[in-house]
Amino acid sequence: MCPLLLGPPASNHRPPVRLLTTVPLCLAGRLEEGADTVCLDQRGGPFKSAPSGSGRRYTMPFDFRRFDIYRKVPKDLTQPTYTGAIISICCCFFITFLFLSELTGFIASEIVNELYVDDPDKESGGKIDVSLNISLPNLNCELVGLDIQDEMGRHEVGHIDNSMKIPLQNGNGCRFEGRFTINKVPGNFHISTHSATAQPQNPDMSHFIHKLSFGDTLQVTNIHGAFNALGGADKFASNALASHDYILKIVPTVYEDLSGKQKFSYQYTVANKEYVAYSHTGRIIPAIWFRYDLSPITVKYTERRQPMYRFITTVCAIIGGTFTVAGILDSCIFTASEAWKKIQLGKIH
């Protein structure tokens, strides 16, 4: 039980009450048996002691603030400096710049690519869609035809499904546009006059390729692939009697967007040669050959967005690291300036 400080009962002037530093001060107007005694601790805060005669002892109440590792320093104990102000302003601009850069990267998506060996489009039935657009300025549309061959025994002459011939230069030329399918085996398709009822004497196979693509069309600006490697190929100035061979190596390509939807396309590399072919019967009728083979390697592009936890971690690193480095720099400058002042005053020799 806390000790009581009671003044003299007969005097009109009460002596001043002194707070004890080692024990709490107990105030009581009237003590009764079993009554609680109210005391003041060293900081003037009230706490309840044990009831009179209980024999129990109460300790100080638990203070949650003792877990505070960021103890506050009174503002009047700190010293502002011009150097510190400049460093602080630069630090704020630097943090803002890095934060905005990181925020831009977090909002924008990124493309991650990987390679693996597999057939990505197993639901296609072993077929590849082909889109061809080619102009032949010196060959009549009645003579132009598409032929398809492959190692599975397919041999189709004069393919006409999903194809269109547009006359050019008053009917002297022709623009061929077509969509067709090929098997996933080595083979070729070629533009020739083989399907014509009457073969011309000297067919001119000079041409311009507008488009040659395989599979789905990808409208993605972040992917710089060879999906239309022959687009823009100009052979107008070539030998009119020459054949043209384009050797294609087709690479399966998969694109997966943020929603998980996949598109199956194909990139390809190309090598070409131009030649005049002869046999024991004479010169062979020229043609434009597209000989293809498939690569076993599949390229997959996946569109991703940076996760939230990585963004928060990076922002915390930016803020914490910048303030730490700025604090070290400011401390070094301040220490050096104080030392210089002491040297000027003669306190350091």
Side-chain angles (χ1 to χ4, degrees), residues 303-319:
E303 186 179 10
R304 295 178 182 174
R305 183 161 286 157
Q306 182 180 357
M308 177 63 74
Y309 72 87
R310 185 179 301 175
F311 171 72
I312 296 176
T313 302
T314 306
V315 171
C316 292
I318 290 173
I319 296 175

Side-chain angles (χ1 to χ4, degrees), residues 16-326:
V17 178
R18 294 190 304 167
L19 299 180
L20 301 179
T21 59
T22 58
V23 296
L25 174 64
C26 304
L27 304 177
R30 183 178 61 183
L31 296 177
E32 297 179 358
E33 186 174 352
D36 292 342
T37 304
V38 179
C39 303
L40 297 178
D41 60 13
Q42 299 177 11
R43 291 169 293 182
F47 72 95
K48 294 181 68 177
S49 68
S52 302
S54 64
R56 293 181 299 171
R57 183 178 180 181
Y58 280 75
T59 58
M60 296 284 292
F62 176 76
D63 189 0
F64 186 74
R65 294 176 297 177
R66 69 179 63 182
F67 293 107
D68 184 10
I69 62 176
Y70 302 102
R71 302 300 179 94
K72 308 304 182 290
V73 179
K75 191 174 182 180
D76 54 356
L77 296 181
T78 59
Q79 178 182 354
T81 61
Y82 288 106
T83 304
I86 295 174
I87 294 177
S88 299
I89 294 174
C90 295
C91 180
C92 291
F93 279 111
F94 186 66
I95 290 176
T96 302
F97 169 74
L98 293 181
F99 173 77
L100 293 177
S101 300
E102 189 63 27
L103 181 62
T104 302
F106 172 71
I107 295 175
S109 59
E110 60 178 354
I111 303 295
V112 180
N113 61 76
E114 57 181 318
L115 303 176
Y116 60 92
V117 179
D118 194 10
D119 180 10
D121 191 10
K122 295 181 175 63
E123 299 179 358
S124 64
K127 303 288 185 180
I128 300 176
D129 294 328
V130 183
S131 178
L132 176 63
N133 190 332
I134 185 172
S135 293
L136 298 93
N138 302 317
L139 197 62
N140 191 280
C141 284
E142 295 181 356
L143 302 175
V144 175
L146 174 66
D147 307 330
I148 304 173
Q149 296 175 298
D150 62 34
E151 293 186 359
M152 292 183 66
R154 181 182 181 183
H155 189 181
E156 186 175 349
V157 179
H159 179 86
I160 59 174
D161 294 337
N162 298 319
S163 61
M164 180 174 54
K165 301 176 184 179
I166 304 173
L168 300 175
Q169 301 178 1
N170 298 322
N172 295 324
C174 184
R175 178 168 178 169
F176 178 86
E177 298 180 8
R179 292 188 62 87
F180 53 96
T181 61
I182 58 176
N183 295 317
K184 292 183 177 180
V185 294
N188 72 82
F189 53 91
H190 52 274
I191 301 294
S192 67
T193 61
H194 297 162
S195 61
T197 55
Q199 293 297 319
Q201 188 66 28
N202 294 309
D204 187 348
M205 287 297 169
S206 58
H207 60 277
F208 183 89
I209 301 175
H210 304 278
K211 178 182 180 181
L212 175 60
S213 62
F214 301 86
D216 297 333
T217 301
L218 299 182
Q219 302 292 339
V220 182
T221 57
N222 294 337
I223 298 178
H224 303 286
F227 296 97
N228 186 23
L230 276 176
D234 187 353
K235 297 297 181 180
F236 286 155
S238 62
N239 186 348
L241 302 178
S243 292
H244 302 268
D245 261 16
Y246 295 99
I247 295 88
L248 313 178
K249 193 69 172 181
I250 301 176
V251 181
T253 304
V254 182
Y255 175 77
E256 182 177 330
D257 58 16
L258 290 174
S259 63
K261 183 179 180 180
Q262 293 185 340
K263 288 187 176 182
F264 301 96
S265 185
Y266 297 85
Q267 305 181 64
Y268 62 93
T269 59
V270 59
N272 70 289
K273 64 178 179 178
E274 176 183 330
Y275 61 94
V276 178
Y278 291 91
S279 68
H280 62 279
T281 59
R283 184 170 55 84
I284 298 177
I285 298 176
I288 305 172
W289 298 82
F290 300 93
R291 308 181 191 274
Y292 61 88
D293 191 7
L294 274 78
S295 169
I297 303 297
T298 296
V299 180
K300 183 178 182 181
Y301 296 99
T302 305
E303 186 179 10
R304 295 178 182 174
R305 183 161 286 157
Q306 182 180 357
M308 177 63 74
Y309 72 87
R310 185 179 301 175
F311 171 72
I312 296 176
T313 302
T314 306
V315 171
C316 292
I318 290 173
I319 296 175
T322 304
F323 272 117
T324 301
V325 174

